[in-house]
């Protein structure tokens, strides 16, 4: 059986750190809701056959936009959970119910809040991992000096940055392994998929990315993201 590549976008968060009523994934960015950009890049990769978007059960915003252009690959599920990990796991289990996935298929989990993923970064990730035993993620080596601070914002210690990486998404793992890993850490407070795989004693591969694949967390990140999107020439 041919191994398939499916993308999954957890988009059930409220984005409270943005200080906006509208959930972060829908904030306007370069004439589209932010999540449009992640979908657009994934959609253009010929290996990815399906893009699963996991929304909150009470999401009322998604259907206000026209997604017809992407409809051939899109699967919309209103099964988001309380945490990101729960949203990913709920989405994965729902796709199994639809008979769309086999244990060996690759799942690329990508945050709606990373709108600037480039076609090149995505291809690079897939090329690096397609034959890998474990899977892995896009990441960048830490460039800044790292300080451990206390509650009063006073430095307690300088942390060595050698061998430290910042994790990005997509994070790419085999369906069966990812479901097992997420079930195993149920209710633990993890913020990415690789952490769950690590908890199985495995070592996901760090695939070199760059800062342009930034995560939009605070309002000023939107300004940067817009500049990056306006500069890109791959789509
Ligand atoms: O809040 P944060 O930026 O860390 O969220 C990362 C991604 O996880 C976002 O795409 C967000 O919509 C998603 N998420 C989710 N379900 C939650 C919390 C976050 O799908 N309960």
């Amino acid at each position: 059986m041919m191994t398939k590549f499916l993308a999954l976008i957890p988009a059930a968060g409220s984005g409270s750190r943005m200080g906006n009523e509208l959930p972060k994934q829908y904030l306007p960015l370069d004439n589209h809701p932010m999540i449009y950009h992640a979908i657009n890049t994934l959609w253009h990769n010929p290996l990815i056959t399906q893009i699963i978007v996991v929304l909150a059960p009470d999401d009322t915003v998604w259907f206000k936009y026209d997604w017809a252009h992407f409809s051939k690959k899109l699967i919309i599920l209103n099964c988001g959970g309380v945490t990101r990990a729960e949203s990913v796991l709920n989405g994965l289990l729902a796709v199994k119910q639809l008979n769309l996935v086999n244990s060996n298929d690759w799942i690329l989990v990508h945050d709606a809040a990373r709108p600037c993923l480039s076609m090149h970064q995505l291809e690079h990730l897939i090329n690096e991992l397609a034959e890998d035993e474990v899977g892995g993620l896009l990441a960048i080596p830490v460039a800044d000096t790292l300080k451990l601070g206390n509650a009063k914002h006073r430095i307690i210690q300088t942390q060595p940055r050698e061998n430290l990486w910042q994790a990005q998404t997509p994070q790419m793992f085999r369906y069966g392994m990812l479901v097992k890993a997420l079930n195993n850490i149920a209710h633990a407070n993890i913020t990415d998929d690789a952490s769950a795989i690590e908890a199985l004693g495995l070592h996901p591969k760090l695939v070199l990315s760059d800062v342009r694949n930034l995560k939009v967390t605070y309002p000023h990140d939107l300004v940067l993201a817009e500049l990056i999107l306006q500069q890109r020439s791959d789509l």
Side-chain angles (χ1 to χ4, degrees), residues 10-13 17 24-25 54 81-84 87 111-113 215-216:
R17 285 171 293 183
K24 180 164 67 172
Q25 54 272 25
V54 180
V82 179
T83 62
R84 180 189 182 280
S87 296
D111 286 342
K215 174 145 163 240
V216 176

Side-chain angles (χ1 to χ4, degrees), residues 12-31:
S14 61
S16 50
R17 285 171 293 183
M18 291 296 290
N20 203 297
E21 280 286 290
L22 194 62
K24 180 164 67 172
Q25 54 272 25
Y26 298 119
L27 291 180
L29 177 61
D30 205 25
N31 301 315

Side-chain angles (χ1 to χ4, degrees), residues 132-137 173 194 197-206:
D132 199 88
E133 298 247 307
V134 179
L137 60 151
F173 298 103
I197 302 286
E198 292 157 44
L200 295 179
L202 299 168
H203 301 288
K205 184 167 181 180
L206 296 157

Side-chain angles (χ1 to χ4, degrees), residues 1 10 18 116 135 155 172 177 192:
M1 210 177 315
M18 291 296 290
C116 305
I155 295 170
M172 177 171 153
M177 187 189 287
D192 76 346

